[in-house]
Amino acid sequence: MLQPCLKKNDKLASRLIIIFSLIVFTAVVVLGRIKLDLDLGFNVHVFATINAYINGSVAFLLVAALWAVKSKHFALHRNLMMAALLLSVVFLLSYIAHHLLAGETSFGGTGTIKTIYYFILFTHIPLAGLILPFILFTAYRALISEWGAHKKLAKITWPIWFYVAVTGVLVYWLISPYYQ
């Protein structure tokens, strides 16, 4: 097993994780309701495309990290998970930029595809909003080498994070024909 990267301080970690999660959640909600009318000279939906690639990459990294830990390649697992975390930060910035610059897009499909789209969207959004503190607490437990608690949290966090990453790609794929 790997040595701790952080000194254990559950009280401080809990406060920081909760504060950071609330700030991110609030920023996404508030900034998602604002549209900046700027002409940047390029199609701002490029951010949505970037987001889809990031989500796909995060999903890939999560699968690779799962394989690594199951194969007892713990350093590789740590590195893959840190890459997934860093990409998620880039995703967040790109997501906010896209919604600030592009505003909302209405889904134009009908029938079964519309039902599928809204089912995916309405499961993706709340899970995406809830997963951040779980990811951070799971990472914290790993960084202080509390492997039992890390593994217990990861069994909840990993599948939800993976679902959010994959459905993020699906949402993009389904909505992108309606970008203007």
Side-chain angles (χ1 to χ4, degrees):
M1 295 303 236
L2 301 172
Q3 294 299 313
C5 298
L6 292 178
K7 186 175 178 183
K8 182 177 177 170
N9 187 339
D10 288 351
K11 196 172 192 178
L12 177 62
S14 295
R15 284 184 188 150
L16 291 175
I17 289 168
I18 290 167
I19 290 168
F20 181 74
S21 298
L22 288 172
I23 289 169
V24 168
F25 181 80
T26 302
V28 168
V29 170
V30 170
L31 296 175
R33 300 177 193 275
I34 298 169
K35 182 180 184 304
L36 301 176
D37 288 321
L38 300 173
D39 182 9
L40 299 177
F42 63 89
N43 183 348
V44 295
H45 292 297
V46 71
F47 290 111
T49 304
I50 291 167
N51 292 342
Y53 279 103
I54 291 171
N55 271 325
S57 298
V58 167
F60 174 80
L61 288 169
L62 290 173
V63 171
L66 181 62
W67 169 84
V69 76
K70 297 278 186 189
S71 302
K72 301 195 184 314
H73 299 289
F74 300 117
L76 177 60
H77 169 75
R78 178 199 59 218
N79 294 342
L80 291 167
M81 293 306 296
M82 293 308 285
L85 276 167
L86 289 173
L87 274 179
S88 294
V89 170
V90 174
F91 167 85
L92 177 64
L93 297 173
S94 180
Y95 177 87
I96 289 171
H98 180 248
H99 283 276
L100 274 174
L101 298 168
E104 294 296 318
T105 299
S106 296
F107 184 73
T110 60
T112 303
I113 197 70
K114 183 176 183 177
T115 303
I116 291 168
Y117 171 77
Y118 280 110
F119 174 79
I120 293 169
L121 185 66
F122 291 144
T123 57
H124 171 85
I125 289 172
L127 291 174
L130 293 171
I131 195 60
L132 179 59
F134 285 93
I135 292 169
L136 297 175
F137 276 113
T138 304
Y140 170 69
R141 292 292 168 216
L143 292 170
I144 62 170
S145 297
E146 285 190 357
W147 304 116
H150 170 73
K151 187 175 180 180
K152 187 176 179 180
L153 276 170
K155 286 182 178 185
I156 298 164
T157 304
W158 190 94
I160 297 170
W161 192 2
F162 181 73
Y163 179 83
V164 167
V166 169
T167 57
V169 175
L170 293 174
V171 166
Y172 167 78
W173 182 66
L174 292 165
I175 194 75
S176 62
Y178 307 104
Y179 289 146
Q180 296 180 2

